[in-house]
Amino acid sequence: MKLYDTERSEEERRTAFRNGDVPVAVYGLGKMGLPLAAVYADVSRNVRGVDIDPDAVETINAGRTPFDHEPGLDDLVAETVDANALRATTEARQAASEAAVHVIIVPTLVTDEKEPDLSTVEAVVSDIAAGIEAGDLVVVESTVPPGTCKTVIAPMIKAESDLTSGEFGVSFCPERTHSGRALEDVRGSYPKVVGGIDDESTRAATAIYREITTNEITPTGDATTAEAVKIFEGIYRDVNIALVNEFAKSADDTGINVLEAIDVANEVPYVDLHDPGAGVGGHCIPYYPYFFTSGYDGPSDLTRTAREINDSMPLFAVDKLLEGLTEKGTTLADATVVVLGVTYRPGVDEIRHTPAMPIVDRLAGQSDSVYVVDPVTDNFDPFEGAQPLGLENLSDVDPDAVVLVTAHDEFGTIDWNQFEELVIVDGRDAVYPDTDDHWLYRIGQGRR
């Protein structure tokens, strides 16, 4: 059955989707895509997941997940695969020819020139165009620059298929999902935004997501507005964090305890200041501002300045570490330094755009004794010049300095009293030694 069909009511579409009469292809089975595909399969019982990684496909078809730290996902994948509700493949065009709904959830990054990189999305769209039929619906969950559905995706499908406008639908329905709670978020932590390139696209996607999510559906006037919603969410957080990071940098000169001031300011409901820190990482906030600025010729000074401030925080943390070593009469070249946390978020095995990367690069460029500790990931290869170290072996290297980048819960077990006159830069307000013997700099509070 096709969902992009003006003759069918929403209830008819929802019933067909729920009964498995609407075959679905989900393109991208990564940390956001696999949970989405599993929930789709749990509801519709008729999903083909597509990924270019044959090892991931093999793992999923064996009823397992290729990654950890996602509560409930192992069981849901095992159940849906066992029931033949979810099947994985590397054959995108074959999957496209069998599907009536095509869900795109692949990464969109930026180039070295800070321009949006839609190459992966475009490759998927080409595969879809090779198998799409009249009445099919394309759902885009990947974050894209505003206007992409209207000016890139729909025109590509028309150019590379036999279809014309009005014979297929395209709707933007952005993921609002966080690693570590993906199933919860997909199923309804937040209202689901739906915006189509035409009214029928919006109606068809709305019918699907009324079955997928328990939360409200928020339709927008068009796909471009829906695309902007996700971009604006990311830019808001980036600008907010940049503001408090600017406050944090002032702590030394002003004597303000910025962390305390933020907490008290947030007591009123009209203030929501975020937390300062050693940098902003991940696959969202550091990239989305460029999705806006690249397509807008007008002034965007605030957005660009926020990016610059947040990108400066890792080296700000290193500068403070160097100040501490200088006060202790030690040079970085002679020091043993430990970086605590290389993932961009606590409890999440993801190092994309992590603040730890520029910190390690600068430290390892001047010291031969740099160690990285992270209880969540074993992906240390990108941190050239640094040696992986287990948390239990921290005392073995007798560090002169430590910079905490990611506040993993496990770091709360560190006994700081075992070290003497240690230089500590706390980038996440997470280090509270029982002794005053250490040189401690807390971003947002200064030297205390």
Side-chain angles (χ1 to χ4, degrees), residues 115-428:
E115 293 292 328
D117 182 0
L118 294 178
S119 58
T120 304
V121 170
E122 291 173 344
V124 170
V125 173
S126 289
D127 289 332
I128 292 171
I132 197 169
E133 296 178 354
D136 282 9
L137 175 69
V138 178
V139 174
V140 183
E141 288 228 359
S142 300
T143 304
V144 294
T148 299
C149 285
K150 179 181 178 181
T151 65
V152 177
I153 294 176
M156 279 188 65
I157 292 174
K158 287 191 291 184
E160 299 182 24
S161 71
D162 296 328
L163 303 182
T164 60
S165 296
E167 292 186 310
F168 66 93
V170 178
S171 188
F172 184 74
C173 309
E175 57 89 4
R176 286 173 155 177
T177 311
H178 294 84
S179 294
R181 48 173 293 168
L183 292 182
E184 177 184 357
D185 289 346
V186 170
R187 285 172 165 154
S189 295
Y190 314 103
K192 188 65 179 180
V193 178
V194 175
I197 60 170
D198 53 30
D199 291 343
E200 181 58 21
S201 296
T202 301
R203 284 192 291 267
T206 296
I208 291 175
Y209 282 101
R210 288 201 195 282
E211 295 297 321
I212 294 293
T213 180
T214 59
N215 211 313
E216 296 178 359
I217 305 297
T218 304
T220 61
D222 53 40
T224 301
T225 301
E227 290 162 340
V229 169
K230 183 62 185 290
I231 299 301
F232 288 0
E233 289 173 358
I235 293 176
Y236 162 77
R237 295 167 64 197
D238 202 35
V239 171
N240 192 317
I241 295 169
L243 177 63
V244 294
N245 278 336
E246 187 168 84
F247 291 160
K249 285 185 171 183
S250 77
D252 294 335
D253 294 334
T254 63
I256 298 171
N257 185 333
V258 173
L259 297 176
E260 182 181 3
I262 288 172
D263 286 343
V264 176
N266 282 343
E267 291 177 357
V268 294
Y270 48 82
V271 175
D272 183 23
L273 293 168
H274 293 359
D275 296 322
V280 178
H283 48 76
C284 298
I285 297 178
Y287 299 99
Y288 296 171
Y290 301 113
F291 288 11
F292 172 68
T293 59
S294 67
Y296 175 55
D297 293 332
S300 52
D301 296 345
L302 180 60
T303 302
R304 296 179 187 277
T305 300
R307 264 297 69 230
E308 292 171 1
I309 291 173
N310 290 335
D311 279 344
S312 75
M313 294 308 294
L315 298 188
F316 176 80
V318 175
D319 287 341
K320 294 306 170 182
L321 183 141
L322 294 176
E323 287 181 17
L325 289 176
T326 298
E327 287 193 27
K328 293 292 185 180
T330 305
T331 66
L332 180 55
D334 295 327
T336 297
V337 183
V338 174
V339 177
L340 293 177
V342 299
T343 65
Y344 85 94
R345 251 183 63 201
V348 174
D349 184 4
E350 175 61 71
I351 64 171
R352 186 176 295 167
H353 206 90
T354 172
M357 190 71 74
I359 288 174
V360 170
D361 284 348
R362 184 170 175 189
L363 293 174
Q366 301 180 53
S367 172
D368 293 329
S369 300
V370 177
Y371 295 87
V372 286
V373 178
D374 198 298
V376 172
T377 189
D378 57 6
N379 185 15
F380 296 107
D381 290 343
F383 301 92
E384 296 182 6
Q387 305 171 58
L389 182 71
L391 180 58
E392 69 279 5
N393 303 120
L394 185 58
S395 61
D396 295 346
V397 301
D398 191 22
D400 299 291
V402 168
V403 54
L404 186 141
V405 180
T406 314
H408 292 302
D409 289 342
E410 291 84 348
F411 294 153
T413 65
I414 296 175
D415 177 13
W416 297 101
N417 295 331
Q418 65 185 306
F419 306 108
E420 296 182 1
E421 297 186 347
L422 185 65
V423 172
I424 304 172
V425 175
D426 179 4
R428 302 297 174 188

Side-chain angles (χ1 to χ4, degrees), residues 431-448:
V431 179
Y432 284 84
D434 295 329
T435 175
D436 295 329
D437 293 341
H438 303 309
W439 187 99
L440 173 61
Y441 186 94
R442 184 170 290 114
I443 293 179
Q445 194 176 64
R447 177 80 171 93
R448 298 282 172 170

